[in-house]
Amino acid sequence: MKIAFFDAKPYDKPSFDKYSAECGLDIKYFETKLNEDTVELAAGYDAVCVFVNDTVNAPVIDRLQELGIRIVALRCAGFNNVDMKYAFGRVHVLRVPAYSPYAVAEHTVAMLLTSIRRIHKAYIRTRDFNFSLAGMTGFDLHGKTVGVIGTGRIGRVFIDICRGFGMRVLAYDKYQAAGLDNGDTVKYVSLDELFRGSDIISLHCPLTEETYHVIDERAIDACRRGVVILNTSRGALVDAEALLAGIKSRKVGAACLDVYEEEADFFFEDFSGHIIEDDTLARLISMPNVIVTSHQAFLTEDALSNIAQTTVENIRSLVQNGQCENEVCYRGGQAEDCKSGKCF
Ligand code: NAD
């Protein structure tokens, strides 16, 4: 079985080589992303393996079908880059629902601590033998309130860590997790209450039509002055223009972004010798209280190993058994994990 692997990076190969060899899968790594222009590269392969910034829209799906390819194996959890409605009945879409919620939750906390304790500033200052503390005053996390939007796997690990710091948690989720609200340190509230009551807000929900720009101008207006916004989920959860305006007006105290709405044009590539065309991204990065990492929250050895193992197992399971427990399908008007394990 031959797999065309798009948007391949050097760190993908060791774990995928290991697990594919065990399963007898033959992987060809392409550095380019999958999109309408590059889909021809998949000719002669049995499946494509894609990541967060590959494009699996209707024209790509049509061409994959014409090439006889019926498997799109996502090596990530989110599937907002796939036209799931169009894919249903045409290609099997497999994903890795969980590979390490700890990796993403811990990166979120790393960004938060870096930001509020000015570690990014201190690192640069001390390398220049500048030992001044001017402008380095931070604040304690203990006793602060964190608003967590999305209390799934990652959100719950993040909440556990925050509770370790002695923080209060205001949570919001479309589907509340049983047993999480203890009526005291963790409470489910409405989105509006979360905005009004949180010192820090962290996003851990998927990107859907409902959650698109959940942090917009109105939300920022409702927030406390000095709110810290953390986004390690998906870029378009935050209206970047509204965030920038909030930073400029000093309403937003700090932002930590591992994802960005237009990241597909930049993230994972080296633009250090180029002039960045995206003024909003450039302006955000120029701010002393904004930290940007380029979608690296997942990037731990543990997560990479789990991603490769599950992706390879997903393909093997679908090919050998005709079904896969990690298939996503579009039934009843929305994309969700295929409950029967047999999508079509
Ligand atoms: P999950 O499915 O376990 O949890 C998502 C939660 O969001 C669920 O509890 C769900 O009920 C909730 N939700 C769904 N719709 C909602 C809505 N309209 N409003 C509020 N909550 C809603 O997923 P997870 O494993 O915790 O991952 C969360 C997100 O993290 C993923 O969707 C993905 O976008 C992102 N992610 C980012 C990285 C990274 O490297 N930065 C890595 C993995 C995942």
Side-chain angles (χ1 to χ4, degrees):
M1 172 122 192
K2 291 168 68 184
I3 317 292
F5 190 108
F6 286 87
D7 203 9
K9 295 286 180 279
Y11 49 75
D12 289 319
K13 292 180 188 171
S15 45
F16 269 93
D17 282 347
K18 174 174 176 239
Y19 289 108
S20 61
E22 286 171 10
C23 255
L25 297 184
D26 181 8
I27 298 185
K28 169 78 178 174
Y29 296 99
F30 293 106
E31 285 183 17
T32 182
K33 291 184 182 65
L34 177 65
N35 56 41
E36 288 161 53
D37 298 327
T38 61
V39 63
E40 292 310 319
L41 290 168
Y45 292 87
D46 305 299
V48 291
C49 181
V50 298
F51 197 49
V52 292
N53 290 325
D54 292 290
T55 304
V56 189
N57 58 12
V60 169
I61 292 167
D62 280 342
R63 190 63 192 131
L64 288 175
Q65 265 201 300
E66 286 162 16
L67 295 170
I69 295 173
R70 301 278 278 169
I71 302 176
V72 174
L74 290 157
R75 51 181 191 280
C76 53
F79 43 84
N80 52 286
N81 54 333
V82 180
D83 184 338
M84 286 305 309
K85 189 175 180 182
Y86 196 77
F88 186 51
R90 292 183 166 89
V91 287
H92 295 277
V93 179
L94 318 177
R95 71 170 183 141
V96 183
Y99 40 86
S100 173
Y102 310 102
V104 182
E106 288 170 14
H107 187 82
T108 313
V109 178
M111 294 187 88
L112 172 61
L113 285 169
T114 301
S115 170
I116 66 162
R117 301 310 302 270
R118 320 280 189 255
I119 305 295
H120 55 311
K121 298 279 168 203
Y123 176 75
I124 291 167
R125 271 194 198 181
T126 55
R127 285 175 74 82
D128 201 25
F129 304 105
N130 175 353
F131 301 111
S132 154
L133 291 183
M136 294 300 215
T137 311
F139 63 81
D140 292 7
L141 286 178
H142 182 88
K144 297 295 183 300
T145 300
V146 60
V148 178
I149 301 179
T151 55
R153 297 175 191 89
I154 297 169
R156 288 204 301 274
V157 173
F158 179 75
I159 287 172
D160 280 347
I161 299 172
C162 290
R163 291 181 65 194
F165 278 105
M167 302 174 82
R168 278 186 64 230
V169 178
L170 297 179
Y172 174 78
D173 198 301
K174 196 174 169 188
Y175 310 99
Q176 299 188 355
L180 184 66
D181 186 331
N182 60 15
D184 180 22
T185 49
V186 184
K187 270 190 205 157
Y188 274 113
V189 294
S190 69
L191 256 188
D192 215 49
E193 285 172 90
L194 185 149
F195 292 142
R196 288 183 198 291
S198 302
D199 303 298
I200 297 155
I201 294 174
S202 197
L203 301 172
H204 299 290
C205 57
L207 174 61
T208 63
E209 279 173 23
E210 275 173 305
T211 60
Y212 177 79
H213 285 184
V214 63
I215 301 294
D216 59 5
E217 192 185 342
R218 195 201 60 80
I220 290 171
D221 276 352
C223 284
R224 290 183 173 179
R225 192 163 183 81
V227 64
V228 177
I229 293 178
L230 314 173
N231 188 8
T232 56
S233 203
R234 283 293 180 268
L237 295 174
V238 174
D239 177 345
E241 296 285 347
L243 178 66
L244 182 57
I247 302 250
K248 281 178 165 173
S249 70
R250 285 30 173 201
K251 181 73 191 270
V252 175
C256 300
L257 310 174
D258 185 52
V259 286
Y260 174 67
E261 197 164 359
E262 304 300 332
E263 70 177 47
D265 295 338
F266 303 103
F267 281 18
F268 307 133
E269 307 300 334
D270 180 1
F271 282 89
S272 56
H274 296 255
I275 291 165
I276 290 282
E277 298 288 344
D278 186 322
D279 287 352
T280 308
L281 179 61
R283 190 75 175 102
L284 280 169
I285 287 175
S286 78
M287 295 288 180
N289 52 352
V290 174
I291 296 178
V292 174
T293 52
S294 54
H295 208 135
Q296 82 176 62
F298 74 99
L299 196 62
T300 65
E301 286 173 9
D302 316 72
L304 287 174
S305 176
N306 292 340
I307 286 170
Q309 189 174 19
T310 305
T311 305
V312 166
E313 175 55 26
N314 282 348
I315 297 170
R316 191 205 59 76
S317 169
L318 188 70
V319 172
Q320 286 183 3
N321 311 330
Q323 57 183 53
C324 170
E325 62 175 6
N326 292 328
E327 178 149 13
V328 190
C329 72
Y330 193 91
R331 268 190 218 286
Q334 63 177 3
E336 55 188 12
D337 290 323
C338 177
K339 299 200 173 52
S340 66
K342 204 176 177 80
C343 205
F344 60 87

